[in-house]
Amino acid sequence: MIVFACLIRSINIGKFGLYGDEKYSLMVVNGVSAEGATQPEIFKRNAEGGLQTKYFTPKQFWESLTFSDFDEAIIRTDNGNSSTYYSLLFVWKSMFGQSDGALRWMGVFFDCLTILLIYLFCKNILNSAIIGLLASFFAAIEPFLIAYSHQVRNYPVGIFLIFLSTFLFFKILKNEAVHKYNFRLYFSYGLTVLLGILCHYYVVLFIFSQFIFLIIRYLKNFIVLKRFVITYLITFSFLALWFTIGSGRNTFQTFKEKDLIFLNMIKSEGKNAKEISFITAANYDNIQSKIGPIFTDYFLFSNNILSRYSGWVNLIFCLVLSSLLLLILDISKNCGRLKKNLSFLGFGIIACGIFYPVFSLNPLYYIYLAILIVFVFNLIRFYLQNRNWNNGYLEFSFILILLPIIITIITSVKSGHTANIYQKYMSFGFPIAFIVMAIGINELLKSKSFLAYGFVIIFGIYLINIYKIDTDILLDKNSKYNILEGRRSNPYIFIADELTKKYKSGDTIIFPNTGHTPFDQYDPQMRNDYVSIIDAQLTNIYLPKTANFIQRVEPNEPNKVYLYQQATQRKLLIFDFENRKYRY
């Protein structure tokens, strides 16, 4: 399964240019802060944000960078977030280089580790290799994981760490059930929690969910609860230091400033603004429209399906059909006679056929929804009948999937915007969702009902939809997780290569002024004549570190990179960004 997942993710991994936050990851791991805050001796600015520096070279760009600049770049460019990730990425970059493909392979590596860990968890904690194989397969083809294994971001590492903490969490509970104390497991758990939160702050919601499960399950078991509380106290003491004197010292202030920008964007478009990019006002309609897809996309069997449904009448008929199918399923369970089992399968098919003309919209999808409801109900019933199954794993799963979503909704309402309601922030619960699906499939297969087998086959057919999504992601034709599509190869590498080949002593490289981002006009700290140096910074990352190429930024040129050739006294066009077209 790991080889299969690796092969899928290797397709076109370095073909398309760095997108959005990937560029910031590249900057941070090189100790470079966006817009030059870590290089004030090179990029000097006046009070209005204008660039006072006339000329600079790659040698100057690189020679002044130190470890403290790496720390400062994390603070200024990524809110003090992702230190675990950037430390690992720095080591990875040192070993494999910083081409787009090389950097993205680290995400593939941690994806594959997560898939292996899912199998080991199911085999060792849930005592089922079959559930492990199913869940690993789901992880291998999950569109989100494939999309983010092709992005130089922290999510694959964070997903691995939160699931590793879950593995250690249940390993501890399994030992404690037989009164076996293991200090190394508690230490490893606390360390994993610490590294996970320092990989992405949203991980704390999933650690909190683990704690809530402990309170519910082990409130009367004082010894176990005390050991976990001590572990949390030590772990969060280190986190407190991190937010006091470490890279997280400005995080909360940065979040306040971002909230202000988001609210300014919403107010500028009216109190009930529907959408400004991904920023929406935190009203019922906007929250519902963003949370719905996040929840359904947690599960492969309902991925990308929500838009197919509309109307209460259709839903009522769907519930009636699901009740009928559940009844037939219950009667057909453990049916030993072949003909009788086949007849129950026939009854299920007939029921679906009868209801087909009843639905006024997308009848096949409503029939599929009815089968999904049967699947979910069967899973919940299994939980209610086996609440202590493997130390309450299913109860834990429901808490870990639902509680972070609930908390995110509450914080969204409190902040007044929906900027934090994003699939990627909920992605740390994906391995748990894969295992839940695998448990449900396993229960259907164990029922020995031909109708249940039919349901499993239908779910398998639906995975053709997942295949199409995955294919589009790998071909950069799906904007669901990338926001945009149709990228070319990294333009900054192309620019650097062209300049390295064509630059002659005495020439001058002229970079454009990227200009304001869509957010800048809502930032009260942004100055009107601010000159952006992002294009120059990103190109210098790929230029030879000891080169003395003379460079400058032209404030009045928004798009074109030129090489002014001293020999001909002419400007040679190297690249045209065409506004945002090639600035992904």
Side-chain angles (χ1 to χ4, degrees):
M1 204 64 68
I2 293 173
V3 174
F4 172 64
C6 188
L7 288 173
I8 293 174
R9 286 156 175 77
S10 67
I11 299 172
N12 293 334
I13 191 166
K15 184 176 180 180
F16 307 111
L18 297 181
Y19 153 76
D21 290 348
E22 286 188 284
K23 292 184 290 187
Y24 296 124
S25 294
L26 176 68
M27 286 181 160
V28 172
V29 80
N30 280 287
V32 176
S33 174
E35 303 296 2
T38 55
Q39 299 165 298
E41 65 283 349
I42 305 174
F43 300 111
K44 297 181 175 65
R45 296 184 181 276
N46 58 35
E48 294 300 317
L51 192 64
Q52 290 182 312
T53 300
K54 183 74 173 176
Y55 299 105
F56 52 93
T57 67
K59 186 176 182 180
Q60 291 175 314
F61 184 89
W62 287 109
E63 67 185 1
S64 60
L65 293 174
T66 64
F67 178 79
S68 62
D69 291 319
F70 179 81
D71 180 62
E72 189 70 16
I74 294 176
I75 295 172
R76 291 181 175 273
T77 304
D78 216 345
N79 309 326
N81 195 9
S82 309
S83 296
T84 300
Y85 169 72
Y86 286 126
S87 299
L88 291 169
L89 188 62
F90 181 83
V91 175
W92 186 275
K93 176 181 76 78
S94 302
M95 294 171 62
F96 302 108
Q98 57 182 5
S99 68
D100 295 354
L103 293 176
R104 287 167 177 161
W105 266 106
M106 193 175 92
V108 176
F109 175 74
F110 277 95
D111 252 10
C112 291
L113 283 182
T114 300
I115 291 169
L116 175 62
L117 199 61
I118 287 171
Y119 175 77
L120 294 175
F121 178 89
C122 294
K123 186 177 179 181
N124 291 283
I125 303 299
L126 304 185
N127 304 307
S128 175
I130 293 175
I131 292 175
L133 286 172
L134 283 169
S136 298
F137 172 68
F138 296 150
I141 63 173
E142 165 58 44
F144 179 91
L145 296 189
I146 291 174
Y148 273 85
S149 69
H150 277 218
Q151 293 190 30
V152 189
R153 290 303 286 165
N154 49 3
Y155 299 99
V157 180
I159 290 169
F160 169 77
L161 288 171
I162 189 63
F163 190 64
L164 178 59
S165 77
T166 300
F167 197 151
L168 294 169
F169 182 83
F170 272 91
K171 189 72 175 173
I172 291 170
L173 294 183
K174 195 172 183 178
N175 283 354
E176 293 287 6
V178 293
H179 307 291
K180 184 179 177 182
Y181 172 70
N182 189 323
F183 169 78
R184 286 181 296 178
L185 280 177
Y186 278 100
F187 175 82
S188 299
Y189 174 72
L191 180 61
T192 305
V193 168
L194 178 63
L195 292 175
I197 296 173
L198 293 181
C199 186
H200 198 291
Y201 294 151
Y202 247 83
V203 165
V204 75
L205 296 184
F206 296 84
I207 302 302
F208 178 67
S209 299
Q210 294 176 0
F211 177 70
I212 292 298
F213 173 78
L214 275 176
I215 295 296
I216 294 172
R217 276 269 167 172
Y218 291 89
L219 186 60
K220 295 181 180 179
N221 191 330
F222 178 74
I223 294 176
V224 174
L225 192 60
K226 181 187 74 173
R227 287 170 179 166
F228 270 104
V229 168
I230 291 172
T231 303
Y232 288 134
L233 286 174
I234 294 172
T235 301
F236 282 88
S237 295
F238 282 104
L239 278 174
L241 287 174
W242 179 261
F243 287 111
T244 305
I245 59 176
S247 297
R249 57 188 179 274
N250 294 329
T251 296
F252 298 110
Q253 180 60 34
T254 303
F255 285 160
K256 287 181 181 179
E257 292 171 359
K258 280 194 170 184
D259 281 342
L260 177 61
I261 293 172
F262 295 152
L263 290 174
N264 286 342
M265 293 178 73
I266 292 169
K267 289 175 183 176
S268 70
E269 298 294 326
K271 186 177 180 180
N272 297 313
K274 283 291 181 183
E275 185 170 4
I276 313 168
S277 182
F278 63 92
I279 312 299
T280 59
N283 55 46
Y284 174 80
D285 289 339
N286 290 335
I287 291 175
Q288 182 190 44
S289 67
K290 294 192 76 172
I291 282 292
I294 288 175
F295 181 74
T296 56
D297 285 2
Y298 243 138
F299 309 97
L300 281 171
F301 301 149
S302 57
N303 186 292
N304 212 33
I305 203 172
L306 203 59
S307 62
R308 305 285 183 175
Y309 303 112
S310 178
W312 285 102
V313 175
N314 283 331
L315 181 58
I316 291 170
F317 283 127
C318 181
L319 291 172
V320 173
L321 175 59
S322 62
S323 300
L324 183 59
L325 291 174
L326 183 63
L327 176 62
I328 298 171
L329 177 65
D330 284 347
I331 297 173
S332 66
K333 282 182 178 178
N334 299 309
C335 182
R337 294 173 57 187
L338 178 62
K339 288 185 178 179
K340 194 172 182 181
N341 208 336
L342 282 171
S343 67
F344 286 127
L345 174 61
F347 290 148
I349 294 172
I350 291 169
C352 292
I354 292 172
F355 273 84
Y356 182 89
V358 172
F359 298 114
S360 61
L361 177 73
N362 294 330
L364 284 176
Y365 279 94
Y366 273 100
I367 292 171
Y368 182 74
L369 178 60
I371 295 171
L372 271 178
I373 292 171
V374 172
F375 176 80
V376 172
F377 185 86
N378 204 48
L379 185 64
I380 293 173
R381 183 169 56 185
F382 172 74
Y383 155 67
L384 293 174
Q385 293 171 351
N386 304 272
R387 293 195 65 176
N388 294 318
W389 182 72
N390 289 303
N391 294 303
Y393 176 76
L394 277 173
E395 184 175 355
F396 169 85
S397 299
F398 298 149
I399 293 172
L400 199 84
I401 290 170
L402 294 174
L403 187 58
I405 292 177
I406 293 170
I407 294 173
T408 299
I409 293 173
I410 293 171
T411 55
S412 176
V413 172
K414 187 176 179 181
S415 66
H417 62 77
T418 62
N420 292 331
I421 303 181
Y422 238 120
Q423 183 78 63
K424 60 185 179 181
Y425 299 141
M426 297 294 105
S427 65
F428 305 108
F430 264 119
I432 306 300
F434 300 145
I435 295 172
V436 167
M437 285 189 296
I439 292 170
I441 292 294
N442 190 54
E443 287 306 303
L444 285 178
L445 294 174
K446 284 166 58 178
S447 69
K448 298 179 181 179
S449 163
F450 286 177
L451 181 61
Y453 297 163
F455 290 165
V456 174
I457 291 171
I458 289 171
F459 290 142
I461 293 171
Y462 187 77
L463 292 184
I464 294 173
N465 175 63
I466 302 301
Y467 166 78
K468 292 178 179 177
I469 296 172
D470 289 346
T471 301
D472 286 345
I473 287 171
L474 294 172
L475 295 175
D476 204 41
K477 293 181 179 179
N478 189 305
S479 59
K480 182 174 182 178
Y481 300 116
N482 291 337
I483 310 268
L484 80 171
E485 55 194 54
R487 291 171 290 170
R488 57 159 283 165
S489 58
N490 191 327
Y492 297 102
I493 294 178
F494 171 81
I495 295 168
D497 288 344
E498 287 294 296
L499 291 173
T500 302
K501 287 187 293 185
K502 296 177 179 179
Y503 187 90
K504 304 294 182 183
S505 179
D507 292 348
T508 303
I509 301 167
I510 304 172
F511 285 105
N513 170 18
T514 309
H516 290 293
T517 70
F519 295 93
D520 288 347
Q521 62 181 306
Y522 305 103
D523 185 351
Q525 298 180 13
M526 184 55 63
R527 304 302 181 189
N528 289 331
D529 58 353
Y530 189 86
V531 175
S532 174
I533 59 171
I534 291 289
D535 290 334
Q537 287 181 297
L538 288 168
T539 303
N540 270 272
I541 285 175
Y542 300 109
L543 288 173
K545 292 188 177 183
T546 57
N548 283 306
F549 299 168
I550 300 171
Q551 308 169 67
R552 69 181 180 88
V553 176
E554 173 53 58
N556 298 317
E557 172 52 59
N559 295 306
K560 297 174 182 178
V561 179
Y562 289 105
L563 177 62
Y564 180 80
Q565 298 175 309
Q566 187 182 50
T568 62
Q569 300 288 299
R570 292 181 179 178
K571 290 196 300 184
L572 175 66
L573 178 64
I574 301 297
F575 192 80
D576 185 351
F577 284 100
E578 299 182 35
N579 295 319
R580 295 287 167 184
K581 184 177 179 180
Y582 296 112
R583 291 182 175 114
Y584 309 124

